[in-house]
Amino acid sequence: MWFNIFILFFGALMQSQTVLSVWTCTQDLDCADAEGAFCSAGNCACPVGQQFIFGNSLCANAAPYLTSSCLEDQQCSRLVTNFECRGSNNTQEGNCFCRDDFHYQDGRCWRSTDYGEACIRNADCFGVKKDPFSMSCIASTSTCGCADGYYRRQAGECRIIAPAVGHSCVLDEDCQFPNGRCNILTFSCYASVGGLQMTIPKEKAVETQKLINPMAQQDGGSVNIPSQHGALCSATNNCPAPYVCSVFGSCVCPVGYYWSGRGDFCYAELGSPSTPEQCVGFLAEVRNGICTCRANFFFEEDMRNCIKVARNLNDFCLNDVMCHTFGTAARCTPPISPWGLRHCECTPGISVWDEARSMCRRFVGIGDACETNSDCLAGNLEINCVTNAAGQGICTCPPNTVAENGLCLSSGLVLGASCQVTSECTGTANTECSEGVCSCGSGYLETGGICAPGIGGSCTADAQCVIANTVCATSGASQTCQCADNFIGVNNVCLPALSDLSSNCTVTEQCVALIGQNSECEANSCSCIAGHHFRDQNCWPHTGLFEDCSRTSQCFLQGMSERVVCRNSMCQCSFDYPYSEELHTCSSATSITMGSLFTFLLALTYLMSH
């Protein structure tokens, strides 16, 4: 009732004033404290289309539309209630929007009421998914629920039903008819029959009757006269169509429309009756005479443009709403290095990906309230929504399962069965839950429907060890299957051990068993890896002359390592091969003697010639 009284009062102001006056005056100078004000009929007033702001110290343009430029909240008063001038300060302009927890519809800001919450009117209902028409106030319960023509996907998410081939869709589930599928390239439903796409040609678009602005030309332009937008108006000086007279005494577009910025043409906001020429927002279209977004696309906050939706999880995105194709539990990741790109994902910690339904399923666990089974999830398992004595649905473990640590667990699952934890895999011995499937545990191999011990598996007799060349050996207090003597285990295969470097190898592990970790099998021969040398039946890292060492085997001299020893914790030439300053190597005594003799002869020749 109070809202209706306010609207009547607001309308009366619109018809009675051409300017807004604040205090009396006899001349313009009396109004000098308000920048831009002047004296009109004995009262200080702002020019037509303007209003006082900042404590009546400045005249500023009125902000008649959602997203209009503004400096102060009160400029946005045409949004009726709970509006704000977002992003403004005393010197920087902002834009008119609804405050947090409110949404715009039908020309004003409404408090947003989510799915299942109490409501009074349809306009109250608005959830996280940005479609102001997806929910309505259900009369029987006075709570918000899915509107007619929408289906409920999971708690709080209502999507448009595509009832037949050719209707718009984004997901297969939108196509709610037998064998319905969605072609994500064309965003249209088809019937999948025997793997073939059965489609029908799109109906020829029927031109919508123009409901607003009879002055507009067919192409959306205007007749060749000056624009009347912002012109002076009053109760006795009406605005020409399509405008109405605002409380500020100027002509503006009616509620649900905004000025095109050219001629006398008003564009339609989303949700308003429209012609194709008036519905110009990004990805907007006219459907049933209403300017709106494509089915199951989302609405921008400005109620003029639509949001491009992601078609696949991991698609690139700019914001969370683009990812809400997969439910409100989907999000757009933070920027990822090095390029700062973002993509859709299920929000970690609150949801899990449901491949079958292309949906990020929220964790609504054991004991939580629910409406249908699809609401309930324990781990990755969909569980039952059971109505209690009070009529409230509660997520409950299915029969033959027990609740444990937030999961509904079975028992007696056999090899190959789907599982959540290893304790469920008790139907086949030696199994564990790996990647959601009961599988043979570490050290066991699947053979004949059982898990037999492989290398490292427990055993009591050789016959239990199914891998060739294995025996049941005692190791400490346990018995396990191990390769027999002169064999080595590689990936549950026992290969012959090599006797010496002349033996051919097939895998590096054979070389490691023979000459150590720093070896490899290359061209069927064992050798040391780069930066290492073979000495004393092992591969050692190169340690050069005068470098620290702990044993002679480490010391390396290209082609003559036998001349180097580790002495005093340093690689040095052995006494049999003294170090040569001239050659920087370990030389034989004969080489040094011949070198000295050669030097002596050169010196003698020089002296005799002089």
Side-chain angles (χ1 to χ4, degrees), residues 332-390:
C332 190
T333 64
I336 300 172
S337 297
W339 310 113
L341 299 177
R342 307 171 68 188
H343 64 82
C344 295
E345 68 171 5
C346 293
T347 305
I350 68 166
S351 63
V352 63
W353 177 243
D354 185 336
E355 181 69 34
R357 298 186 67 190
S358 296
M359 180 169 66
C360 292
R361 292 279 297 274
R362 287 185 177 274
F363 294 129
V364 181
I366 302 167
D368 291 336
C370 58
E371 292 187 24
T372 66
N373 288 347
S374 62
D375 290 342
C376 300
L377 203 64
N380 293 328
L381 179 68
E382 183 175 297
I383 60 177
N384 297 341
C385 183
V386 178
T387 303
N388 62 16

Side-chain angles (χ1 to χ4, degrees), residues 99-218:
R99 292 177 179 171
D100 290 343
D101 299 323
F102 289 80
H103 64 278
Y104 177 85
Q105 188 175 342
D106 299 332
R108 61 159 288 186
C109 298
W110 304 84
R111 182 178 295 278
S112 300
T113 303
D114 210 342
Y115 186 95
E117 295 179 353
C119 57
I120 299 174
R121 60 191 72 82
N122 290 341
D124 293 339
C125 300
F126 185 82
V128 177
K129 291 175 74 69
K130 292 185 178 296
D131 180 352
F133 308 107
S134 64
M135 291 192 292
S136 60
C137 190
I138 308 301
S140 59
T141 60
S142 295
T143 58
C144 292
C146 291
D148 289 342
Y150 287 75
Y151 71 97
R152 179 181 179 277
R153 194 156 188 248
Q154 65 175 336
E157 299 179 20
C158 302
R159 296 180 63 84
I160 295 176
I161 295 171
V165 170
H167 283 248
S168 296
C169 61
V170 178
L171 298 168
D172 287 345
E173 197 170 348
D174 296 339
C175 304
Q176 301 219 337
F177 54 89
N179 302 313
R181 297 289 185 272
C182 185
N183 185 327
I184 61 173
L185 298 179
T186 62
F187 293 108
S188 60
C189 290
Y190 67 92
S192 178
V193 180
L196 300 176
Q197 291 191 21
M198 307 300 292
T199 60
I200 59 174
K202 288 189 175 181
E203 296 181 3
K204 185 177 180 181
V206 178
E207 184 178 354
T208 308
Q209 179 184 1
K210 293 186 178 180
L211 303 175
I212 299 292
N213 193 16
M215 299 175 66
Q217 293 180 341
Q218 185 70 19

Side-chain angles (χ1 to χ4, degrees), residues 66 103-105 126-135 150 158 160 269-272 279 282-285 287 290-309 319 321-322 324:
L66 186 70
H103 64 278
Y104 177 85
Q105 188 175 342
F126 185 82
V128 177
K129 291 175 74 69
K130 292 185 178 296
D131 180 352
F133 308 107
S134 64
M135 291 192 292
Y150 287 75
C158 302
I160 295 176
E269 293 177 341
L270 298 174
S272 297
C279 187
F282 179 64
L283 295 177
E285 65 179 16
R287 190 166 65 247
I290 302 296
C291 183
T292 188
C293 295
R294 296 191 63 164
N296 294 318
F297 278 46
F298 305 121
F299 294 61
E300 286 280 13
E301 188 179 9
D302 63 12
M303 287 299 286
R304 300 179 183 182
N305 300 293
C306 303
I307 298 172
K308 183 179 180 181
V309 297
N319 53 56
V321 179
M322 293 179 67
H324 285 177

